[in-house]
Amino acid sequence: MATKTPHIELLDEALGFGKTVLMPGDPKRAKFIAENFLENAVLVNSVRGINGYTGFYKGVKVSVMASGMGIPSIGIYSYELYRYFGVQNIMRIGSAGAISNKVNLRDIVVGMSACTNSDFAKQYGLCGTIAPTCDFAMLDTLNQTAKDMNLPLNIGSLYSSDTFYDDTRKAVDWGKMGCLAVEMEAAGLYCTAMRLGMRALAVCTISDLVYPPFDSLDAAERERSFTQMMELALETAVRLENLEKLTPKE
């Protein structure tokens, strides 16, 4: 197990990372989770301002670290966490824009799969098209946890876009193929986890409507709405502690 990679340097080698890491995109959101939900949270990484914290939630060691924005960024951090720091489960927790009228503002959307316009998977040299998917054990655990919390979920496909300001304005077309929301990280996270034989899941709160009436949450509403998603992710992390340990593929 490493203590230093090009993008992560453990500031507390004895504590390290938990088996499960929650990954919001924003370093400030990672700090918010650590300060408001974790006990005895310690800063364990600060390279490039991508802060990571490890603490305890209901007695279980859990980490939270920012992923930055986009597939290349989460691809770097998830690979290093899985490959070098003993992490087995990564749960992306972030915002997304609805591209289906089946979901509304503040809804929680869970990515069973992730369509994408990214070329990230070309690195694997596959003679075909990969279907980036989450880990079923994580999905099932989260779904059962949500039921116990009486928290409704929308489970389906996400669309992971490489472009936020998309000149084609075609994101809504993916809604016609059943995608519920557009975000920018899930497909890269899923591909990385699949390649390394680890677990991954993307959970997003709808912060914007990408179709008419083009509504969005303000900053205060985002904080209140995202708190539900954070609690769901942490409760799921506790249950994941009991799942069988995975070993990376060679």
Side-chain angles (χ1 to χ4, degrees):
M1 190 175 298
T3 59
K4 182 178 181 180
T5 60
H7 307 92
I8 300 172
E9 183 174 359
L10 277 180
L11 300 175
D12 189 324
E13 295 180 17
L15 184 61
F17 288 96
K19 183 170 72 175
T20 298
V21 175
L22 309 186
M23 295 201 84
D26 187 353
K28 290 184 178 179
R29 192 165 295 149
K31 182 180 180 182
F32 176 87
I33 295 170
E35 292 179 344
N36 290 275
F37 292 97
L38 298 183
E39 295 180 359
N40 303 316
V42 174
L43 181 69
V44 292
N45 180 67
S46 61
V47 177
R48 294 174 178 258
I50 299 295
N51 293 341
Y53 304 84
T54 297
F56 294 84
Y57 183 80
K58 295 187 175 180
V60 173
K61 186 165 77 169
V62 179
S63 297
V64 53
M65 192 174 93
S67 70
M69 291 187 290
I71 287 175
S73 186
I74 201 169
I76 289 170
Y77 292 112
S78 61
Y79 184 92
E80 293 185 4
L81 287 170
Y82 284 136
R83 192 71 179 86
Y84 302 111
F85 294 97
V87 173
Q88 296 178 32
N89 315 304
I90 295 180
M91 193 181 314
R92 160 166 157 66
I93 50 173
S95 60
I99 53 177
S100 167
N101 57 16
K102 295 179 181 178
V103 293
N104 301 297
L105 288 176
R106 304 178 188 85
D107 283 357
I108 296 177
V109 175
V110 183
M112 184 166 55
S113 60
C115 300
T116 186
N117 63 356
S118 172
D119 286 336
F120 186 82
K122 283 189 175 180
Q123 65 179 296
Y124 306 121
L126 301 170
C127 298
T129 303
I130 194 171
T133 55
C134 73
D135 177 79
F136 178 76
M138 284 190 75
L139 175 61
D140 186 49
T141 302
L142 181 110
N143 188 41
Q144 292 299 322
T145 303
K147 288 180 179 178
D148 292 343
M149 295 174 65
N150 294 315
L151 192 61
L153 299 179
N154 298 272
I155 301 174
S157 186
L158 297 171
Y159 168 53
S160 298
S161 177
D162 262 354
T163 48
F164 186 88
Y165 297 107
D166 190 344
D167 202 50
T168 68
R169 300 181 181 179
K170 293 291 186 180
V172 292
D173 287 351
W174 288 93
K176 299 173 184 177
M177 297 302 296
C179 293
L180 299 176
V182 57
E183 51 83 65
M184 300 186 72
E185 288 83 25
L189 173 61
Y190 288 2
C191 283
T192 303
M194 291 165 68
R195 177 64 183 86
L196 296 178
M198 294 299 183
R199 296 184 173 111
L201 184 65
V203 185
C204 298
T205 298
I206 298 299
S207 58
D208 304 271
L209 302 182
V210 186
Y211 55 83
F214 303 108
D215 202 359
S216 64
L217 300 179
D218 62 29
E221 289 177 313
R222 289 177 188 233
E223 182 174 311
R224 289 194 297 270
S225 299
F226 288 6
T227 298
Q228 283 189 321
M229 175 179 60
M230 294 170 187
E231 291 175 346
L232 172 62
L234 288 164
E235 292 291 338
T236 301
V238 171
R239 297 189 182 193
L240 287 172
E241 190 71 13
N242 298 319
L243 293 179
E244 182 180 357
K245 185 176 181 180
L246 295 182
T247 301
K249 298 176 181 177
E250 294 296 331

